[in-house]
Each structure stands twice: as C-alpha cells, then as structure tokens.
Amino acid sequence: MNSKTIQKCIEINYEIIIMNFGLYVYARMSSSRLPGKVLMPLGNKSIIENIFSKLENIGGNIKVILVTSDQKEDDILEDTATKNNICCVRGCLLNIAERTVKAIKSYDVDYFFRINGDSPFIQPNIIQECIKIIEDERPDFLTNLLPRHFPYGISVESIKCQTFIDNYKYINNSSKYCEHITTYFYDNLYKFKLSKYYKKDIFNPELHLTIDSEIDYKKISDKLINYPSLLDADIYTLINIFQAKI
C-alpha cells in the first residue's frame, strides 16, 4: 500500500467518526440582578423552557443538559428540566467549572456548547453551523466572539471535553475562571487549536438580547406584543426589530 492510499484511508476513517455534542444550559435561581429570572414567563413558556424547546429541535447527536447548582432553591430548575425531558447535573453554586466537569463525566459527549439560561434568542441554525465547523476542523475551542460582532445573547462557544478536563486544574485554581469558564481559553489562546465562527454581514456588538435586568425583561416582553413570533426569529430579523427607531 503506497503513501497516497494510506492517506486516503486515514481521511475516510477521519470523516466517519461520529461525535456527540452536549448543549449545557447554565442557570440558577439566585441571579443578583433579577432573581428567578429564568422561570419568568416569556410568551407561553418560561425563559428557560423556551431555550430547552429550541435546543431540543436541533436534532442529531446532541444532548441538552441543564447545569445548575446543588442549592435547595434550584430544585425547581431540576423539576422544570425533568418536566421537559431534559437531563440535569448539579454542583457547586459558585464553581461553574466543577459543575462542567460533572456534566462531562456524567454524559458521553465529545464537545459541549456553553448556553446561558437568560438568552432566549439563541439561534439553533448557528449552533448547527458551528457543529459542522467542529466536525471539519476538530478544534479545542470554537467561538464567535473573536472579534465580538454578534449581539449579546447570541454568543456561541464550544470546548472539546477532553481539552477542558486536561486544563481543569488550571481553571480550578482561579475564582475568575471557575465562574467564567471560557475566559481561561481567551486568556490562553496560544495553547489551543482555535476555530472561529464569523458573519461578515453582522456587526452589532452593542445590542443586548439577554435578560439581565427587569428593564431587559420589559423591553423583550413589550416587543413580543407586536411581534408574537419574535422568539423564533432569525438573527437578522432580531437585529432589525430591536434596532428599529420606534
């Protein structure tokens, strides 16, 4: 067998590897600015149930997992996940890195996406496109924030599970990284194989589509009155609606 034939066999084997993806939804009831926000109603579901519904419809080798704290006040989040047939992993309230490791060890996935439980406009099609990039490039870390050009609430970040495990001892040594798990990767990009997701026709880094405060919640709730299908809108429609001078 010559070298070209061997290379072709390697490429074929490489392509047929099936990877599993975890969509880790991070949420807790004890938000400092708006406690309990993830269970506040938005449309005919709570904020987090809207997120669950979107992610469940992506399909493929994907598992949606709620990653919440082990505090009593977050029992209701586990109950909500169970009611929606969503898996749940619980751990330390302030150490999100520890919770992430528990999720990795609890379910067989190769890459996980970090999904915020206060971001109801997460875009399933963007996640699908990022999965294709990961399947092609096999990065350690994928992001659409280099540079930041999408609105807040449309962030996409994915980390290879083994890479996270390998670097956990460094992440776990810093309260900054324990709480904001992707920050370690941004601070040490030179150590990792990086993939970027970029859309040259989008540049709206100041637009906030997350629900951090009562003001955010009212703004989005008011928009829903005039645009009932807003929660299912694509990124371009969202930008047009929220930047309209009305």
Side-chain angles (χ1 to χ4, degrees):
M1 185 180 293
N2 61 37
S3 60
K4 288 186 178 180
T5 303
I6 292 173
Q7 180 63 36
K8 187 63 177 176
C9 289
I10 291 172
E11 290 174 355
I12 291 171
N13 289 331
Y14 184 80
E15 289 174 357
I16 64 174
I17 293 174
I18 297 174
M19 291 188 293
N20 298 309
F21 296 88
L23 306 181
Y24 293 179
V25 182
Y26 293 89
R28 59 188 175 97
M29 292 296 288
S30 56
S31 167
S32 58
R33 287 186 290 272
L34 189 59
K37 63 182 177 180
V38 295
L39 290 184
M40 293 171 71
L42 204 60
N44 58 7
K45 299 177 182 177
S46 67
I47 291 170
I48 201 164
E49 286 176 304
N50 277 296
I51 294 171
F52 288 158
S53 179
K54 283 188 175 186
L55 299 181
E56 279 284 277
N57 289 329
I58 292 177
N61 301 309
I62 290 173
K63 184 173 287 293
V64 182
I65 302 167
L66 171 67
V67 183
T68 190
S69 91
D70 54 13
Q71 300 296 295
K72 181 67 176 176
E73 63 192 352
D74 287 324
D75 289 354
I76 191 171
L77 289 181
E78 182 174 9
D79 292 341
T80 301
T82 300
K83 184 179 73 174
N84 288 272
N85 298 311
I86 300 295
C87 300
C88 181
V89 170
R90 304 182 67 172
C92 180
L93 176 65
L94 298 179
N95 192 333
I96 296 175
E98 183 231 52
R99 280 192 253 158
T100 301
V101 168
K102 287 186 70 173
I104 290 170
K105 292 182 176 180
S106 297
Y107 297 96
D108 182 22
V109 298
D110 300 293
Y111 284 82
F112 72 89
F113 285 80
R114 185 179 75 89
I115 310 291
N116 288 325
D118 60 2
S119 299
F121 297 112
I122 191 74
Q123 299 283 291
N125 66 305
I126 291 179
I127 292 175
Q128 288 173 323
E129 290 173 14
C130 288
I131 285 174
K132 290 178 182 177
I133 293 173
I134 290 170
E135 290 175 336
D136 289 341
E137 300 182 7
R138 307 292 202 272
D140 293 307
F141 180 44
L142 175 144
T143 179
N144 71 339
L145 300 181
L146 290 172
R148 176 177 281 281
H149 60 297
F150 277 86
Y152 285 85
I154 314 294
S155 302
V156 181
E157 298 168 309
S158 181
I159 302 172
K160 186 177 182 179
C161 292
Q162 189 58 56
T163 300
F164 193 88
I165 293 292
D166 291 344
N167 288 272
Y168 177 61
K169 61 183 177 182
Y170 307 114
I171 298 169
N172 201 43
N173 277 337
S174 164
S175 58
K176 168 187 172 183
Y177 297 144
C178 282
E179 188 173 357
H180 304 284
I181 57 172
T182 57
T183 303
Y184 175 79
F185 292 85
Y186 290 112
D187 286 351
N188 296 277
L189 287 176
Y190 69 94
K191 294 174 59 176
F192 305 108
K193 182 178 180 181
L194 175 69
S195 288
K196 297 181 183 181
Y197 179 83
Y198 184 80
K199 288 282 190 184
K200 63 182 180 180
D201 56 346
I202 291 176
F203 189 79
N204 307 86
E206 303 303 320
L207 180 60
H208 283 252
L209 298 179
T210 57
I211 299 178
D212 286 327
S213 66
E214 188 69 44
I215 293 173
D216 296 331
Y217 179 68
K218 186 177 187 308
K219 176 185 72 174
I220 292 172
S221 297
D222 288 348
K223 289 290 186 182
L224 271 170
I225 295 172
N226 294 321
Y227 302 98
S229 61
L230 184 66
L231 289 166
D232 296 317
D234 63 35
I235 180 62
Y236 300 101
T237 302
L238 289 171
I239 290 170
N240 288 335
I241 288 173
F242 280 97
Q243 291 194 330
K245 304 297 183 181
I246 57 173

